[in-house]
PDB file of all heavy atoms in Angstrom:
ATOM      1  N   LYS A  26      -9.903 -12.789 212.398  1.00 98.00           N
ATOM      2  CA  LYS A  26     -10.953 -12.125 211.624  1.00 98.00           C
ATOM      3  C   LYS A  26     -10.694 -12.220 210.118  1.00 98.00           C
ATOM      4  O   LYS A  26     -11.088 -11.348 209.343  1.00 98.00           O
ATOM      5  CB  LYS A  26     -11.058 -10.653 212.054  1.00 98.00           C
ATOM      6  CG  LYS A  26     -11.419 -10.467 213.519  1.00 98.00           C
ATOM      7  CD  LYS A  26     -12.771 -11.109 213.842  1.00 98.00           C
ATOM      8  CE  LYS A  26     -13.138 -10.986 215.302  1.00 98.00           C
ATOM      9  NZ  LYS A  26     -14.396 -11.711 215.613  1.00 98.00           N
ATOM     10  N   ALA A  27     -10.084 -13.313 209.693  1.00 98.00           N
ATOM     11  CA  ALA A  27      -9.738 -13.480 208.280  1.00 98.00           C
ATOM     12  C   ALA A  27     -10.961 -13.418 207.373  1.00 98.00           C
ATOM     13  O   ALA A  27     -10.916 -12.826 206.286  1.00 98.00           O
ATOM     14  CB  ALA A  27      -8.990 -14.797 208.079  1.00 98.00           C
ATOM     15  N   GLU A  28     -12.072 -14.019 207.794  1.00 97.00           N
ATOM     16  CA  GLU A  28     -13.269 -14.021 206.958  1.00 97.00           C
ATOM     17  C   GLU A  28     -13.845 -12.617 206.807  1.00 97.00           C
ATOM     18  O   GLU A  28     -14.250 -12.213 205.707  1.00 97.00           O
ATOM     19  CB  GLU A  28     -14.323 -14.965 207.540  1.00 97.00           C
ATOM     20  CG  GLU A  28     -13.951 -16.428 207.435  1.00 97.00           C
ATOM     21  CD  GLU A  28     -15.073 -17.334 207.903  1.00 97.00           C
ATOM     22  OE1 GLU A  28     -16.189 -16.825 208.154  1.00 97.00           O
ATOM     23  OE2 GLU A  28     -14.838 -18.554 208.014  1.00 97.00           O
ATOM     24  N   GLU A  29     -13.890 -11.872 207.924  1.00 97.00           N
ATOM     25  CA  GLU A  29     -14.402 -10.503 207.857  1.00 97.00           C
ATOM     26  C   GLU A  29     -13.505  -9.621 206.982  1.00 97.00           C
ATOM     27  O   GLU A  29     -13.991  -8.773 206.227  1.00 97.00           O
ATOM     28  CB  GLU A  29     -14.510  -9.904 209.257  1.00 97.00           C
ATOM     29  CG  GLU A  29     -15.628 -10.453 210.103  1.00 97.00           C
ATOM     30  CD  GLU A  29     -15.272 -11.771 210.793  1.00 97.00           C
ATOM     31  OE1 GLU A  29     -14.131 -12.274 210.585  1.00 97.00           O
ATOM     32  OE2 GLU A  29     -16.136 -12.297 211.521  1.00 97.00           O
ATOM     33  N   ILE A  30     -12.193  -9.833 207.081  1.00 98.00           N
ATOM     34  CA  ILE A  30     -11.249  -9.071 206.266  1.00 98.00           C
ATOM     35  C   ILE A  30     -11.460  -9.383 204.785  1.00 98.00           C
ATOM     36  O   ILE A  30     -11.470  -8.481 203.932  1.00 98.00           O
ATOM     37  CB  ILE A  30      -9.802  -9.386 206.712  1.00 98.00           C
ATOM     38  CG1 ILE A  30      -9.551  -8.778 208.102  1.00 98.00           C
ATOM     39  CG2 ILE A  30      -8.788  -8.869 205.692  1.00 98.00           C
ATOM     40  CD1 ILE A  30      -8.274  -9.242 208.752  1.00 98.00           C
ATOM     41  N   GLU A  31     -11.657 -10.659 204.473  1.00 98.00           N
ATOM     42  CA  GLU A  31     -11.898 -11.058 203.083  1.00 98.00           C
ATOM     43  C   GLU A  31     -13.183 -10.436 202.538  1.00 98.00           C
ATOM     44  O   GLU A  31     -13.224  -9.955 201.399  1.00 98.00           O
ATOM     45  CB  GLU A  31     -11.958 -12.580 202.987  1.00 98.00           C
ATOM     46  CG  GLU A  31     -12.115 -13.098 201.573  1.00 98.00           C
ATOM     47  CD  GLU A  31     -12.114 -14.610 201.491  1.00 98.00           C
ATOM     48  OE1 GLU A  31     -11.927 -15.272 202.539  1.00 98.00           O
ATOM     49  OE2 GLU A  31     -12.313 -15.140 200.381  1.00 98.00           O
ATOM     50  N   ARG A  32     -14.241 -10.433 203.370  1.00 97.00           N
ATOM     51  CA  ARG A  32     -15.507  -9.840 202.931  1.00 97.00           C
ATOM     52  C   ARG A  32     -15.359  -8.341 202.706  1.00 97.00           C
ATOM     53  O   ARG A  32     -15.920  -7.776 201.754  1.00 97.00           O
ATOM     54  CB  ARG A  32     -16.612 -10.110 203.962  1.00 97.00           C
ATOM     55  CG  ARG A  32     -17.178 -11.516 203.894  1.00 97.00           C
ATOM     56  CD  ARG A  32     -18.491 -11.604 204.638  1.00 97.00           C
ATOM     57  NE  ARG A  32     -18.315 -11.453 206.069  1.00 97.00           N
ATOM     58  CZ  ARG A  32     -18.112 -12.470 206.901  1.00 97.00           C
ATOM     59  NH1 ARG A  32     -18.066 -13.709 206.440  1.00 97.00           N
ATOM     60  NH2 ARG A  32     -17.982 -12.260 208.193  1.00 97.00           N
ATOM     61  N   ASN A  33     -14.610  -7.690 203.575  1.00 97.00           N
ATOM     62  CA  ASN A  33     -14.410  -6.249 203.424  1.00 97.00           C
ATOM     63  C   ASN A  33     -13.612  -5.943 202.161  1.00 97.00           C
ATOM     64  O   ASN A  33     -13.928  -4.995 201.425  1.00 97.00           O
ATOM     65  CB  ASN A  33     -13.703  -5.690 204.657  1.00 97.00           C
ATOM     66  CG  ASN A  33     -13.936  -4.207 204.845  1.00 97.00           C
ATOM     67  OD1 ASN A  33     -15.070  -3.745 204.863  1.00 97.00           O
ATOM     68  ND2 ASN A  33     -12.853  -3.456 204.981  1.00 97.00           N
ATOM     69  N   ASP A  34     -12.589  -6.738 201.883  1.00 98.00           N
ATOM     70  CA  ASP A  34     -11.811  -6.553 200.666  1.00 98.00           C
ATOM     71  C   ASP A  34     -12.688  -6.731 199.423  1.00 98.00           C
ATOM     72  O   ASP A  34     -12.528  -6.014 198.427  1.00 98.00           O
ATOM     73  CB  ASP A  34     -10.652  -7.543 200.614  1.00 98.00           C
ATOM     74  CG  ASP A  34      -9.483  -7.128 201.495  1.00 98.00           C
ATOM     75  OD1 ASP A  34      -9.446  -5.960 201.937  1.00 98.00           O
ATOM     76  OD2 ASP A  34      -8.599  -7.968 201.730  1.00 98.00           O
ATOM     77  N   ALA A  35     -13.613  -7.696 199.484  1.00 98.00           N
ATOM     78  CA  ALA A  35     -14.500  -7.930 198.348  1.00 98.00           C
ATOM     79  C   ALA A  35     -15.385  -6.715 198.080  1.00 98.00           C
ATOM     80  O   ALA A  35     -15.664  -6.374 196.925  1.00 98.00           O
ATOM     81  CB  ALA A  35     -15.356  -9.173 198.589  1.00 98.00           C
ATOM     82  N   PHE A  36     -15.820  -6.048 199.150  1.00 96.00           N
ATOM     83  CA  PHE A  36     -16.678  -4.868 198.999  1.00 96.00           C
ATOM     84  C   PHE A  36     -15.928  -3.730 198.308  1.00 96.00           C
ATOM     85  O   PHE A  36     -16.501  -2.990 197.512  1.00 96.00           O
ATOM     86  CB  PHE A  36     -17.172  -4.425 200.380  1.00 96.00           C
ATOM     87  CG  PHE A  36     -18.152  -3.293 200.335  1.00 96.00           C
ATOM     88  CD1 PHE A  36     -19.484  -3.519 200.032  1.00 96.00           C
ATOM     89  CD2 PHE A  36     -17.753  -1.992 200.596  1.00 96.00           C
ATOM     90  CE1 PHE A  36     -20.397  -2.479 199.975  1.00 96.00           C
ATOM     91  CE2 PHE A  36     -18.649  -0.940 200.549  1.00 96.00           C
ATOM     92  CZ  PHE A  36     -19.982  -1.188 200.236  1.00 96.00           C
ATOM     93  N   PHE A  37     -14.638  -3.590 198.607  1.00 97.00           N
ATOM     94  CA  PHE A  37     -13.824  -2.510 198.039  1.00 97.00           C
ATOM     95  C   PHE A  37     -12.909  -3.027 196.920  1.00 97.00           C
ATOM     96  O   PHE A  37     -11.889  -2.402 196.614  1.00 97.00           O
ATOM     97  CB  PHE A  37     -12.967  -1.866 199.132  1.00 97.00           C
ATOM     98  CG  PHE A  37     -13.743  -1.097 200.160  1.00 97.00           C
ATOM     99  CD1 PHE A  37     -14.007  -1.657 201.409  1.00 97.00           C
ATOM    100  CD2 PHE A  37     -14.215   0.170 199.901  1.00 97.00           C
ATOM    101  CE1 PHE A  37     -14.719  -0.954 202.368  1.00 97.00           C
ATOM    102  CE2 PHE A  37     -14.926   0.885 200.856  1.00 97.00           C
ATOM    103  CZ  PHE A  37     -15.185   0.321 202.095  1.00 97.00           C
ATOM    104  N   GLU A  38     -13.284  -4.139 196.311  1.00 97.00           N
ATOM    105  CA  GLU A  38     -12.400  -4.843 195.380  1.00 97.00           C
ATOM    106  C   GLU A  38     -11.840  -3.956 194.277  1.00 97.00           C
ATOM    107  O   GLU A  38     -10.626  -3.950 194.008  1.00 97.00           O
ATOM    108  CB  GLU A  38     -13.152  -6.025 194.764  1.00 97.00           C
ATOM    109  CG  GLU A  38     -12.309  -6.852 193.803  1.00 97.00           C
ATOM    110  CD  GLU A  38     -13.067  -8.039 193.247  1.00 97.00           C
ATOM    111  OE1 GLU A  38     -14.293  -8.133 193.487  1.00 97.00           O
ATOM    112  OE2 GLU A  38     -12.432  -8.871 192.575  1.00 97.00           O
ATOM    113  N   ASP A  39     -12.682  -3.206 193.615  1.00 96.00           N
ATOM    114  CA  ASP A  39     -12.228  -2.404 192.480  1.00 96.00           C
ATOM    115  C   ASP A  39     -11.224  -1.339 192.900  1.00 96.00           C
ATOM    116  O   ASP A  39     -10.197  -1.130 192.233  1.00 96.00           O
ATOM    117  CB  ASP A  39     -13.418  -1.746 191.777  1.00 96.00           C
ATOM    118  CG  ASP A  39     -14.303  -2.750 191.063  1.00 96.00           C
ATOM    119  OD1 ASP A  39     -13.828  -3.881 190.811  1.00 96.00           O
ATOM    120  OD2 ASP A  39     -15.474  -2.415 190.778  1.00 96.00           O
ATOM    121  N   GLN A  40     -11.512  -0.654 194.019  1.00 96.00           N
ATOM    122  CA  GLN A  40     -10.612   0.411 194.483  1.00 96.00           C
ATOM    123  C   GLN A  40      -9.286  -0.159 194.974  1.00 96.00           C
ATOM    124  O   GLN A  40      -8.238   0.477 194.835  1.00 96.00           O
ATOM    125  CB  GLN A  40     -11.275   1.226 195.590  1.00 96.00           C
ATOM    126  CG  GLN A  40     -12.527   1.971 195.148  1.00 96.00           C
ATOM    127  CD  GLN A  40     -13.783   1.233 195.529  1.00 96.00           C
ATOM    128  OE1 GLN A  40     -13.899   0.021 195.310  1.00 96.00           O
ATOM    129  NE2 GLN A  40     -14.739   1.956 196.104  1.00 96.00           N
ATOM    130  N   ILE A  41      -9.330  -1.340 195.577  1.00 97.00           N
ATOM    131  CA  ILE A  41      -8.090  -1.975 196.023  1.00 97.00           C
ATOM    132  C   ILE A  41      -7.253  -2.384 194.812  1.00 97.00           C
ATOM    133  O   ILE A  41      -6.029  -2.178 194.780  1.00 97.00           O
ATOM    134  CB  ILE A  41      -8.395  -3.191 196.925  1.00 97.00           C
ATOM    135  CG1 ILE A  41      -8.992  -2.717 198.263  1.00 97.00           C
ATOM    136  CG2 ILE A  41      -7.125  -4.010 197.183  1.00 97.00           C
ATOM    137  CD1 ILE A  41      -9.531  -3.833 199.129  1.00 97.00           C
ATOM    138  N   LYS A  42      -7.908  -2.930 193.800  1.00 96.00           N
ATOM    139  CA  LYS A  42      -7.192  -3.374 192.604  1.00 96.00           C
ATOM    140  C   LYS A  42      -6.533  -2.228 191.863  1.00 96.00           C
ATOM    141  O   LYS A  42      -5.417  -2.364 191.334  1.00 96.00           O
ATOM    142  CB  LYS A  42      -8.147  -4.120 191.666  1.00 96.00           C
ATOM    143  CG  LYS A  42      -8.428  -5.560 192.084  1.00 96.00           C
ATOM    144  CD  LYS A  42      -9.297  -6.258 191.050  1.00 96.00           C
ATOM    145  CE  LYS A  42      -9.519  -7.715 191.419  1.00 96.00           C
ATOM    146  NZ  LYS A  42     -10.387  -8.407 190.419  1.00 96.00           N
ATOM    147  N   ASP A  43      -7.214  -1.074 191.805  1.00 95.00           N
ATOM    148  CA  ASP A  43      -6.616   0.043 191.051  1.00 95.00           C
ATOM    149  C   ASP A  43      -5.669   0.894 191.907  1.00 95.00           C
ATOM    150  O   ASP A  43      -5.122   1.890 191.442  1.00 95.00           O
ATOM    151  CB  ASP A  43      -7.692   0.915 190.410  1.00 95.00           C
ATOM    152  CG  ASP A  43      -8.546   1.695 191.414  1.00 95.00           C
ATOM    153  OD1 ASP A  43      -8.139   1.869 192.572  1.00 95.00           O
ATOM    154  OD2 ASP A  43      -9.662   2.142 191.030  1.00 95.00           O
ATOM    155  N   GLY A  44      -5.490   0.481 193.167  1.00 93.00           N
ATOM    156  CA  GLY A  44      -4.518   1.152 194.019  1.00 93.00           C
ATOM    157  C   GLY A  44      -5.013   2.404 194.711  1.00 93.00           C
ATOM    158  O   GLY A  44      -4.240   3.077 195.409  1.00 93.00           O
ATOM    159  N   SER A  45      -6.302   2.723 194.547  1.00 94.00           N
ATOM    160  CA  SER A  45      -6.820   3.936 195.183  1.00 94.00           C
ATOM    161  C   SER A  45      -7.124   3.725 196.666  1.00 94.00           C
ATOM    162  O   SER A  45      -7.309   4.699 197.403  1.00 94.00           O
ATOM    163  CB  SER A  45      -8.068   4.439 194.449  1.00 94.00           C
ATOM    164  OG  SER A  45      -9.089   3.457 194.442  1.00 94.00           O
ATOM    165  N   LEU A  46      -7.191   2.463 197.092  1.00 96.00           N
ATOM    166  CA  LEU A  46      -7.383   2.144 198.510  1.00 96.00           C
ATOM    167  C   LEU A  46      -6.419   1.037 198.913  1.00 96.00           C
ATOM    168  O   LEU A  46      -6.119   0.137 198.117  1.00 96.00           O
ATOM    169  CB  LEU A  46      -8.814   1.653 198.775  1.00 96.00           C
ATOM    170  CG  LEU A  46      -9.959   2.649 198.730  1.00 96.00           C
ATOM    171  CD1 LEU A  46     -11.275   1.931 199.031  1.00 96.00           C
ATOM    172  CD2 LEU A  46      -9.750   3.794 199.703  1.00 96.00           C
ATOM    173  N   PRO A  47      -5.953   1.061 200.164  1.00 97.00           N
ATOM    174  CA  PRO A  47      -5.218  -0.092 200.678  1.00 97.00           C
ATOM    175  C   PRO A  47      -6.190  -1.228 200.954  1.00 97.00           C
ATOM    176  O   PRO A  47      -7.397  -0.994 201.097  1.00 97.00           O
ATOM    177  CB  PRO A  47      -4.614   0.440 201.981  1.00 97.00           C
ATOM    178  CG  PRO A  47      -5.590   1.478 202.447  1.00 97.00           C
ATOM    179  CD  PRO A  47      -6.113   2.117 201.177  1.00 97.00           C
ATOM    180  N   ASP A  48      -5.685  -2.457 200.994  1.00 98.00           N
ATOM    181  CA  ASP A  48      -6.578  -3.533 201.398  1.00 98.00           C
ATOM    182  C   ASP A  48      -6.802  -3.457 202.905  1.00 98.00           C
ATOM    183  O   ASP A  48      -6.181  -2.656 203.616  1.00 98.00           O
ATOM    184  CB  ASP A  48      -6.055  -4.904 200.960  1.00 98.00           C
ATOM    185  CG  ASP A  48      -4.701  -5.252 201.557  1.00 98.00           C
ATOM    186  OD1 ASP A  48      -4.357  -4.766 202.653  1.00 98.00           O
ATOM    187  OD2 ASP A  48      -3.968  -6.036 200.919  1.00 98.00           O
ATOM    188  N   THR A  49      -7.718  -4.272 203.404  1.00 98.00           N
ATOM    189  CA  THR A  49      -8.133  -4.161 204.809  1.00 98.00           C
ATOM    190  C   THR A  49      -7.000  -4.504 205.768  1.00 98.00           C
ATOM    191  O   THR A  49      -6.840  -3.854 206.803  1.00 98.00           O
ATOM    192  CB  THR A  49      -9.346  -5.065 205.072  1.00 98.00           C
ATOM    193  OG1 THR A  49     -10.375  -4.756 204.132  1.00 98.00           O
ATOM    194  CG2 THR A  49      -9.881  -4.861 206.483  1.00 98.00           C
ATOM    195  N   ALA A  50      -6.196  -5.524 205.425  1.00 98.00           N
ATOM    196  CA  ALA A  50      -5.074  -5.893 206.293  1.00 98.00           C
ATOM    197  C   ALA A  50      -4.075  -4.745 206.389  1.00 98.00           C
ATOM    198  O   ALA A  50      -3.548  -4.449 207.478  1.00 98.00           O
ATOM    199  CB  ALA A  50      -4.398  -7.154 205.768  1.00 98.00           C
TER     200      ALA A  50
END
């Protein structure tokens, strides 16, 4: 499910980058 994981990370990109959310993996 690498593609779905990548798409999900893109949706939460800002929060993942600032550390407020873990990435999908």
Side-chain angles (χ1 to χ4, degrees):
K26 299 300 178 185
E28 290 185 8
E29 288 82 359
I30 290 169
E31 184 178 357
R32 282 196 292 269
N33 203 53
D34 282 346
F36 185 80
F37 292 101
E38 182 178 8
D39 291 342
Q40 297 99 313
I41 291 171
K42 281 184 177 179
D43 68 19
S45 59
L46 288 180
D48 61 27
T49 306

